[in-house]
Amino acid sequence: MSRYRTTLLFLALAAIWGSAFMAINAGLAYFPPVLFAALRFDVAGVVMLGYAVYTVDDPIPRGRREWADVAIGATLIIAGYHAFLFIGESDPAVTSAIAAVIVGLSPVLTTVFARVFLPSERLTLIGVLGLLVGLLGVVVLAAPDPGNLTGSGTTAKFLVFLAAASFALGSVLTRALDSGLRIETMEAWSMLVGAALTHLIAVALGESMGAIVWTTEAVLALGYLAIVASGLGFLIYFDLLDRLGPIEINLVSYVAPVFAALSGWLVLDEGLTLTTIGGFLLICAGFAIVKRVAIRDALPK
């Protein structure tokens, strides 16, 4: 029963996080992009802080190292990642599936950044090959026109790539810092501080609350991202992290695009192209090459 429960939770997380890309695209019709991300984490941060208070003896970071951990998460994992992602997805050329596939490069980039900031790890020649295969997948997805590099959504897709890189770098730096801060506390405070930073970015970009068109669809998109994708999604993530470990949980990134494509097609009538499928397969291949040893060790004997 436990094995089936784990499988169901894994698929549920992939469905929730995959369909979140569809919810972002749906909500961007009513919200300025960065302000949309900020409002999401206003709500999600409060939800996660409530969960941290319930599960952790001391839900407040203590000392410079723990607050440094929060600062990294707030800057790179919350503000940086979501600002780049939401702006990128505001381009019609970036469908839910394309965004999910590009973000799926995060585990590969995490491994690369780990080789730089964690001296005990080195990137082998085969690891470099895996990185190049994954990057090729992003190029296939972006499909740049040499005569017009800013057209066809190329810039927007590059912004989504920067979002994946920001998330990966933040994950590695928090691991390298190793402050000992409970992940529930770190996520809650990173969301709250990250929401504040994202509001500042929105103001700097000239976005305002007056530009929001409040409709039923807008409220549903915001609620889904804040409560379901962030709140419920991270609760499932924490549970699976204990059950599966960091290697297997990374595989969510490679199942999520399936649900992103399906939900985008059902709700937003988004199409699925051969370049999207090809990019997805190349990024999966890059992940398999980079993580070949960890995947082999994680497989049942």
Side-chain angles (χ1 to χ4, degrees):
M1 181 63 71
S2 177
R3 183 176 180 181
Y4 289 119
R5 180 175 183 273
T6 299
T7 301
L8 289 174
L9 286 175
F10 182 91
L11 291 175
L13 182 61
I16 289 171
W17 281 0
S19 57
F21 291 96
M22 174 276 298
I24 292 171
N25 270 346
L28 286 170
Y30 309 100
F31 294 90
V34 179
L35 183 57
F36 187 21
L39 292 173
R40 169 187 180 176
F41 286 102
D42 286 338
V43 179
V46 173
V47 172
M48 284 304 303
L49 183 59
Y51 177 70
V53 169
Y54 177 74
T55 57
V56 179
D57 292 335
D58 184 5
I60 300 176
R62 306 291 179 181
R64 281 184 290 184
R65 288 180 66 84
E66 291 191 354
W67 278 110
D69 206 357
V70 169
I72 292 170
T75 304
L76 295 173
I77 297 177
I78 301 299
Y81 169 68
H82 290 91
F84 284 130
L85 176 63
F86 279 55
I87 294 174
E89 281 204 65
S90 65
D91 189 310
V94 181
T95 64
S96 306
I98 287 176
V101 170
I102 296 175
V103 168
L105 190 62
S106 289
V108 180
L109 294 173
T110 298
T111 302
V112 174
F113 285 131
R115 299 305 193 261
V116 176
F117 293 99
L118 300 175
S120 60
E121 302 185 39
R122 294 180 180 177
L123 192 62
T124 64
L125 184 60
I126 297 179
V128 173
L129 174 63
L131 171 64
L132 293 177
V133 171
L135 291 175
L136 178 61
V138 176
V139 173
V140 169
L141 277 172
D145 177 5
N148 183 18
L149 291 179
T150 61
S152 303
T154 302
T155 301
K157 293 168 188 175
F158 179 68
L159 289 175
V160 178
F161 171 77
L162 289 180
S166 180
F167 187 93
L169 179 59
S171 300
V172 170
L173 290 180
T174 55
R175 189 196 315 169
L177 183 61
D178 192 22
S179 69
L181 184 64
R182 285 281 296 268
I183 191 170
E184 296 92 337
T185 303
M186 186 268 189
E187 288 287 351
W189 286 99
S190 291
M191 286 181 180
L192 291 171
V193 177
L197 291 175
T198 310
H199 274 291
L200 291 176
I201 296 172
V203 170
L205 293 176
E207 298 181 358
S208 69
M209 295 289 290
I212 299 174
V213 180
W214 290 106
T215 65
T216 301
E217 291 81 2
V219 174
L220 288 174
L222 179 59
Y224 185 84
L225 289 172
I227 305 299
V228 180
S230 297
L232 179 60
F234 274 107
L235 291 180
I236 296 174
Y237 173 81
F238 294 144
D239 184 61
L240 288 176
L241 188 62
D242 289 335
R243 294 168 179 268
L244 300 176
I247 301 301
E248 289 186 69
I249 198 64
N250 270 338
L251 296 176
V252 168
S253 299
Y254 299 96
V255 182
V258 176
F259 291 98
L262 182 60
S263 60
W265 173 65
L266 288 173
V267 180
L268 304 178
D269 197 28
E270 295 177 343
L272 186 64
T273 66
L274 289 177
T275 55
T276 303
I277 296 172
F280 170 69
L281 293 175
L282 284 169
I283 290 175
C284 285
F287 173 81
I289 293 171
V290 171
K291 291 289 189 181
R292 65 197 182 283
V293 176
I295 293 174
R296 182 191 63 203
D297 293 342
L299 291 174
K301 303 299 180 184

